[in-house]
Amino acid sequence: MRAYLVRRWRAAAICAVVLLSSLPAGSAHASGSWHVTLMHQDAVAILDRSGHSNISLSIKTGGHNGDADALTVSVYPLVSTRSALAAIVSGLGVSAQPLSSTGDFPLNCRRNGVAQLTLTVSESTRAADTTCGQAQPDLSLNCRGANCDGVYPISFSVTNGSQQRTIWSLLAVTTSIPLHPVGLAWVLRSNPGYRGATAAETRSLLALSQFPSTPLAVAANYAGTSNVNFALTKVAANFRTAMALALRSTHHQLSDAPPASVDFGALRANALASDVVAQARYGGTLVRQFTGKGPKGPVVLSGSLTVSDLRAVGAEGLHGVLINEEALSVAPSLTLQWGTPFHVDSVGHSVTAISIDAELSRLSNSRLSPGLRSALELGTLALLHYQAPFAPQTRVAVVESSLSQVGGPFVVEFLNGLRNDPLITAVSLTQALSASLLGANGYPRVRSLLSAPPSSWSRADSQTAIQLDSKINDYAASISSSAPIVPLRAATLLAEVKNVPGGRSRAFSTISSALGAELRAFSIVNTTITLTGSGALLPITLTSSAKYTVTGVLSLSAPNVSFPSGNRIAITLDTATRAVRVPADIHGSGNFTLVVELLSSHGSLVLAHGAIQVRSTATSVLGYVLTFAALGVISLWWYRTTRRTSRGRHAA
């Protein structure tokens, strides 16, 4: 046994040595692999009259004061185009020589492995403020006054013995407060489809609630929101609470973001215009059920779009939309003419649109650390400002982020940075689509969509969709809870997007089965009734396993039976069993079937069906006449027979 344990210990030791030897030299740092993270960086340096500014940094390196960790910060020449940012965002950096560097200085200001320090940025070399122990890091821009304005690449290189980690970021510099800062309309899409996403969205929403004075929008996708409306889990309850807190501010707008590639045009063409509105507004309607705040303003449209889609949206009174720029024939962000609303070619003036910046949206959702992501996002927005700093009217960059991907730390870091950045101002979606900005700055008033293949629906699919809508609406009007309706309606709407996975017909069939399963909660007890009179009270028993009240109509029909109070009776089923007695007049005897149906309150959907066997021994009026006639004949015969017998006796 001892030898066995020794062999196991030796094997484990060898594995540990192999694993450690596979790591790069110097990567073992403190208790694990060495990771360097930019936790925070002021995104803008506002130079004072003396030409200098202090920005704060927070870098996580691990380790402790007095070890070999050292930091070098370098600043590089101005960037002027968005294409130049790609290498910086990706972490490759720039090949140009730095304008200046701080030189290595030890990170002797760490607490729990995080160094917090101040960096001096100035027009020219000058004595820097003391920070991080006795270090005096200073960056010189080698410029004067307004010539310093712009966006600079900046690198943070941390060395640990012989190893080095470099993080690339952006730093905006300004010497004045601009008249027209670039606008930011931030839209955060909510689609809490599974447990992890719901918890992540909750954290982001709680972070948003800390910034009640910052204009922004939360756009609800009904596909995910339908999963949390009535869920009894703690995760869902926390999400609903966080959403209510985030939307409590009047500056936080609730909008809608339906799933990608909704087939709006085909819906209107197939007599499903009501579903155009449902597709566009159902997400916000669901959120209103647990926050009290309804959807307002433009709708966020993603995926492929056609002219007929936008015509359908406009025809139903939805006049403001946000469009992913990749659906346009020319992405505005690839030009200098972006940031103003426009009409869409061949759609007319019924719809006003503005494009979503694809690169800024992807960056906000990236896996970079919150501090670095925020600095890059704000730096990119600052560059957009400097591309046209004297534009006569405000240009608005629309950024769409995922609530589950941005994370609470990024929300806090980004909105704090935005609040202190004079080059960028937050605006609402309503402001971004203002009619006064249409064609502003000489930018295009009309833009074109990319060509997209038209979709087609079979006649059977369109008829099925109409019938499903009618059945679900009738059912919704008959029950006291919307809990069973939400998943049915959401599934029906999802089946109306383009290129439905598995096919539209199959999706509709699944929804019909789900509705049928819901209706099986109700039944009418099939029994046999024996009646002995022409007037009777027919006993009917209904059962329900549903956890909500149903209001409907009881419909009865049978041959040779009339109902003095009518054959349709309003009924409320609010218990597991409900017995009713229905007055009826029976016309004749024999066996017959009483057909009983529980209908929806509108009377067009059968919720339950039953067939009760009735056995009647009642006699009709004709039967009574014949009976009395027979008795009369018998009585007459008896009377005559009795008299003959009496006369014969007397004669004898």
Side-chain angles (χ1 to χ4, degrees):
M1 181 67 180
R2 182 179 179 183
Y4 171 78
L5 292 174
V6 170
R7 287 196 301 271
R8 293 293 300 270
W9 181 85
R10 286 177 177 173
I14 291 171
C15 290
V17 171
V18 170
L19 288 172
L20 288 173
S21 64
S22 66
L23 294 173
S27 63
H29 190 277
S31 60
S33 298
W34 184 36
H35 299 285
V36 177
T37 305
L38 182 64
M39 304 292 289
H40 167 76
Q41 174 215 319
D42 286 349
V44 60
I46 305 173
L47 301 184
D48 59 19
R49 291 182 178 180
S50 63
H52 93 289
S53 176
N54 288 333
I55 65 170
S56 62
L57 304 174
S58 179
I59 298 179
K60 184 177 182 179
T61 63
H64 56 83
N65 297 337
D67 61 15
D69 287 3
L71 172 65
T72 300
V73 184
S74 302
V75 64
Y76 297 82
L78 286 165
V79 291
S80 57
T81 63
R82 291 193 72 171
S83 59
L85 299 181
I88 299 167
V89 172
S90 68
L92 295 176
V94 298
S95 57
Q97 292 298 310
L99 295 173
S100 64
S101 296
T102 62
D104 289 351
F105 59 93
L107 292 173
N108 289 330
C109 55
R110 279 170 289 177
R111 295 183 62 182
N112 299 321
V114 178
Q116 295 182 339
L117 60 147
T118 300
L119 177 66
T120 299
V121 178
S122 53
E123 294 177 350
S124 57
T125 304
R126 55 165 288 165
D129 295 341
T130 301
T131 187
C132 201
Q134 298 302 311
Q136 292 181 309
D138 173 67
L139 289 177
S140 173
L141 301 176
N142 297 320
C143 56
R144 181 70 65 182
N147 291 328
C148 297
D149 289 355
V151 177
Y152 297 79
I154 187 171
S155 66
F156 305 94
S157 296
V158 182
T159 57
N160 171 31
S162 61
Q163 294 298 301
Q164 178 175 293
R165 300 285 187 270
T166 300
I167 297 174
W168 288 89
S169 184
L170 295 171
L171 176 66
V173 175
T174 183
T175 55
S176 61
I177 306 300
L179 180 62
H180 292 298
V182 69
L184 168 66
W186 196 19
V187 187
L188 295 108
R189 180 188 290 263
S190 175
N191 190 24
Y194 55 93
R195 184 182 180 90
T198 304
E201 288 203 14
T202 298
R203 292 188 289 270
S204 297
L205 288 167
L206 290 175
L208 288 176
S209 68
Q210 300 175 34
F211 299 88
S213 61
T214 302
L216 53 85
V218 175
N221 184 331
Y222 64 77
T225 308
S226 62
N227 295 322
V228 298
N229 267 44
F230 298 97
L232 301 178
T233 65
K234 185 176 181 180
V235 172
N238 289 342
F239 170 84
R240 294 192 292 266
T241 300
M243 180 66 82
L245 289 173
L247 294 177
R248 186 166 54 184
S249 167
T250 56
H251 294 288
H252 293 180
Q253 191 173 6
L254 174 62
S255 188
D256 289 90
S261 303
V262 173
D263 210 348
F264 291 108
L267 289 175
R268 188 161 184 264
N270 286 279
L272 287 162
S274 61
D275 279 10
V276 172
V277 178
Q279 288 281 1
R281 288 301 189 202
Y282 195 45
T285 300
L286 293 177
V287 172
R288 177 168 51 195
Q289 292 177 358
F290 57 86
T291 65
K293 188 170 188 174
K296 181 182 179 182
V299 179
V300 183
L301 301 181
S302 55
S304 64
L305 289 170
T306 64
V307 168
S308 62
D309 289 332
L310 293 182
R311 285 176 176 171
V313 167
E316 297 306 316
L318 303 165
H319 301 304
V321 298
L322 276 61
I323 297 177
N324 193 312
E325 65 176 359
E326 293 169 343
L328 298 171
S329 57
V330 177
S333 70
L334 299 180
T335 72
L336 294 177
Q337 297 183 326
W338 56 268
T340 58
F342 53 87
H343 295 310
V344 177
D345 187 28
S346 301
V347 175
H349 294 175
S350 64
V351 172
T352 301
I354 193 168
S355 61
I356 298 170
D357 192 294
E359 288 301 323
L360 281 170
S361 299
R362 278 191 282 267
L363 177 57
S364 71
N365 291 324
S366 72
R367 299 176 65 87
L368 297 173
S369 70
L372 177 58
R373 210 184 333 158
S374 175
L376 291 171
E377 191 87 4
L378 293 169
T380 303
L381 287 165
L383 176 65
L384 296 183
H385 164 73
Y386 280 125
Q387 286 181 335
F390 304 110
Q393 289 183 280
T394 300
R395 296 165 300 140
V396 179
V398 181
V399 177
E400 181 192 9
S401 306
S402 166
L403 271 175
S404 64
Q405 292 178 311
V406 292
F410 171 77
V411 170
V412 172
E413 183 74 14
F414 180 63
L415 292 182
N416 272 327
L418 180 64
R419 187 160 53 186
N420 298 314
D421 197 324
L423 305 177
I424 312 163
T425 184
V427 300
S428 68
L429 295 183
T430 303
Q431 290 173 298
L433 281 165
S434 171
S436 64
L437 295 178
L438 189 67
N441 304 318
Y443 296 172
R445 296 177 63 91
V446 178
R447 298 184 187 269
S448 301
L449 294 173
L450 278 174
S451 60
S455 62
S456 61
W457 284 39
S458 68
R459 183 175 180 82
D461 280 349
S462 62
Q463 290 299 317
T464 301
I466 293 172
Q467 291 167 6
L468 275 176
D469 273 356
S470 176
K471 289 179 179 179
I472 293 173
N473 289 336
D474 282 354
Y475 187 45
S478 303
I479 62 178
S480 61
S481 171
S482 57
I485 300 300
V486 168
L488 291 171
R489 186 159 283 156
T492 303
L493 294 175
L494 280 171
E496 296 171 349
V497 303
K498 301 167 186 174
N499 303 316
V500 181
R504 186 171 286 111
S505 298
R506 183 176 178 180
F508 284 153
S509 177
T510 301
I511 298 163
S512 295
S513 299
L515 177 59
E518 193 68 36
L519 297 183
R520 283 195 288 274
F522 314 109
S523 65
I524 296 170
V525 179
N526 295 329
T527 59
T528 299
I529 304 172
T530 300
L531 302 176
T532 59
S534 61
L537 292 174
L538 300 179
I540 299 171
T541 302
L542 300 92
T543 65
S544 169
S545 60
K547 297 180 179 179
Y548 44 84
T549 299
V550 178
T551 302
V553 176
L554 203 60
S555 174
L556 307 103
S557 63
N560 300 323
V561 179
S562 60
F563 302 95
S565 301
N567 70 330
R568 288 194 169 221
I569 303 167
I571 188 170
T572 298
L573 189 56
D574 53 5
T575 58
T577 303
R578 174 75 188 276
V580 295
R581 291 183 173 274
V582 181
D585 289 334
I586 312 300
H587 308 291
S589 59
N591 298 331
F592 54 87
T593 300
L594 172 65
V595 177
V596 183
E597 291 180 327
L598 176 61
L599 306 177
S600 62
S601 57
H602 291 168
S604 55
L605 176 64
V606 178
L607 306 181
H609 179 278
I612 298 175
Q613 299 303 315
V614 180
R615 183 176 300 158
S616 174
T617 59
T619 305
S620 64
V621 175
L622 178 60
Y624 283 117
V625 171
L626 292 176
T627 299
F628 283 119
L631 288 173
V633 170
I634 292 171
S635 298
L636 181 60
W637 172 82
W638 179 81
Y639 174 74
R640 288 180 175 180
T641 302
T642 302
R643 288 193 63 183
R644 286 195 193 102
T645 303
S646 178
R647 287 176 182 176
R649 287 175 182 172
H650 287 298

